[in-house]
Amino acid sequence: MRLLIKNGRVVDPANNIDAALDILVADGKIVKVAKDIKANGAQIIDAADKIIIPGLVDMHVHLREPGREDKETVESGTAAALKGGVTTLLAMPNTTPAIDSEENIALLKKIIGKSAQANVLICGAISKGRLGKELSGIAELKKAGALAISDDGSSVDNDDLLLDAFKQAKEAGLLVICHSEDKALSGKGVVNRGLIATRMGLRGISHESEYLRVERDIKLAKKTGVKIHIAHVSCKESVILIAAAKKQGVKVTAEAAPHHFSFTEEAVLGFDTNFKMNPPLRSKADREALRQALKDGTIDCIASDHAPHTENEKDIEFDRAEFGVIGLETELSAAITELVETKLLDWPRLVEKMAVNPARILGIDQGSLATGKDADIVIIDPKQERLVEKQKLISRSKNCAFLGMKLRGVVEYTIYKGEVHPWNS
Ligand code: DOR
Ligand code: ZN
């Protein structure tokens, strides 16, 4: 089967391309990118006025399987990913059981083999059961196929244990993804600490609970030379620490989630639990710092932190609701609306944040539209606006912060390994 995508604007910063070009696909691979390609008998997609980019790489996704298939499965989560233009994702290990051993990686791989609709990469747990007490066999996780390790959802409290983990990860050549949070400081907080929390009578989560841990994680990375990646950066102090560490040559990268660069703590004033996540939405100044950090490169990439929860776990009192929101189906449109439409990023920079850089951080061969690469391609109508509606979301959970909002930029087709998925919004 051959596929010819004609007349679109191809934005492929990995190859320094931003031009009107055609793309020819055969047997799941990109075989030609050029002007006016002729291909008799090929299926044709007319992409006039559309933007064509490499499939997105989302390095922070909670698929919930094994263990919480009521929230999401590998199948439903990867279908949602494709709908959002994400063709490769890194699955976080806070499942039941946690992905902390060779056997559990084998179990997850089996599920992926059977039901994944997109490319699923595996993140192993730093500690056994993610309990922060004893390290999982880090070399063993790498051997079994993990691309990174993280205790995401929690931070490793014990400095000595983390130092040991960093040393082993360095030895094994594994990336460490840091959920930087001091639970002793965030405690029972549910929103950003400040006037809004006070006004609402809710307990706050301070900036310190994040940035003191970012500071520690960077210090240990510097000591060991391991590559670390700071997940879901939410406040400006963390941005300043990451920028300083990069200047000193520490091997640190960072991500921001769409909810953090789109909303502020004011969004929680209506007690809508779809604005409850960890770390919490912060102040306007923090949101601005994240946006500037995306622009200046301090923050390397955008990742959804797709965190599905059931209605029973979200549609309850703010204090009791679970932390987290889904994001796979809205992250690209949110980024277009908040970053491209506002002229903060141009299209090539956006593609860097959502495909090229996460692929580089993970050391995988994605995020490029060069000849010979997998035909993972997204075709976007950049002008079309779409209302985010619950009944149109295909993720098994519907806890989306963008519900009821109009977002610009609609994924018209996702092509995954040459297979065409058309979406009629
Ligand atoms: O809001 C969050 N939800 N933050 C995390 O770190 C974990 C995630 C989840 O797994 O639900
Ligand atoms: Zn996290």
Side-chain angles (χ1 to χ4, degrees), residues 196-399:
I196 288 185
T198 308
R199 196 178 341 152
M200 296 174 74
L202 294 172
R203 275 172 289 219
I205 298 174
S206 64
H207 287 199
E208 283 86 347
S209 81
E210 175 175 306
Y211 76 75
L212 291 177
R213 274 297 157 90
V214 170
E215 192 170 36
R216 180 208 56 177
D217 296 341
I218 286 172
K219 198 174 98 196
L220 296 182
K222 194 171 167 184
K223 202 164 175 172
T224 54
V226 74
K227 282 189 196 163
I228 63 165
H229 176 78
I230 310 290
H232 43 55
V233 174
S234 76
C235 63
K236 68 171 180 294
E237 294 89 340
S238 301
V239 168
I240 292 168
L241 286 163
I242 293 161
K246 284 187 164 185
K247 255 202 198 126
Q248 291 175 30
V250 181
K251 294 187 186 105
V252 57
T253 53
E255 77 194 22
H259 42 269
H260 287 127
F261 64 68
S262 298
F263 304 110
T264 68
E265 58 190 336
E266 287 174 24
V268 302
L269 278 166
F271 290 92
D272 181 345
T273 59
N274 284 334
F275 296 108
K276 178 178 175 180
M277 65 286 286
N278 188 21
L281 299 174
R282 304 285 193 184
S283 69
K284 278 205 180 78
D286 293 306
R287 179 178 65 178
E288 192 49 36
L290 295 183
R291 290 179 180 223
Q292 287 310 315
L294 280 162
K295 188 182 166 93
D296 71 23
T298 302
I299 294 183
D300 304 81
C301 63
I302 294 168
S304 67
D305 195 4
H306 179 83
H309 294 293
T310 64
E311 219 158 272
N312 287 339
E313 297 165 324
K314 279 305 252 188
D315 213 2
I316 51 176
E317 304 92 287
F318 206 93
D319 257 331
R320 289 177 52 228
E322 290 279 359
F323 288 99
V325 290
I326 60 169
L328 283 166
E329 291 171 77
T330 46
E331 61 183 308
L332 179 57
S333 305
I336 293 168
T337 307
E338 296 292 338
L339 306 177
V340 178
E341 290 282 300
T342 58
K343 305 251 186 302
L344 197 89
L345 299 182
D346 58 17
W347 275 93
R349 300 293 85 70
L350 181 77
V351 174
E352 283 175 1
K353 299 291 171 199
M354 301 192 81
V356 182
N357 293 349
R360 173 178 47 81
I361 294 166
L362 292 171
I364 55 170
D365 194 22
Q366 318 293 141
S368 158
L369 294 175
T371 303
K373 302 289 181 192
D374 284 345
D376 295 349
I377 305 167
V378 185
I379 303 177
I380 303 157
D381 183 342
K383 290 278 168 283
Q384 202 180 315
E385 255 190 352
R386 177 190 59 170
L387 180 67
V388 182
E389 292 174 286
K390 206 176 197 170
Q391 64 272 21
K392 291 209 174 136
L393 294 170
I394 61 173
S395 169
R396 193 163 279 189
S397 294
K398 311 295 174 193
N399 52 315

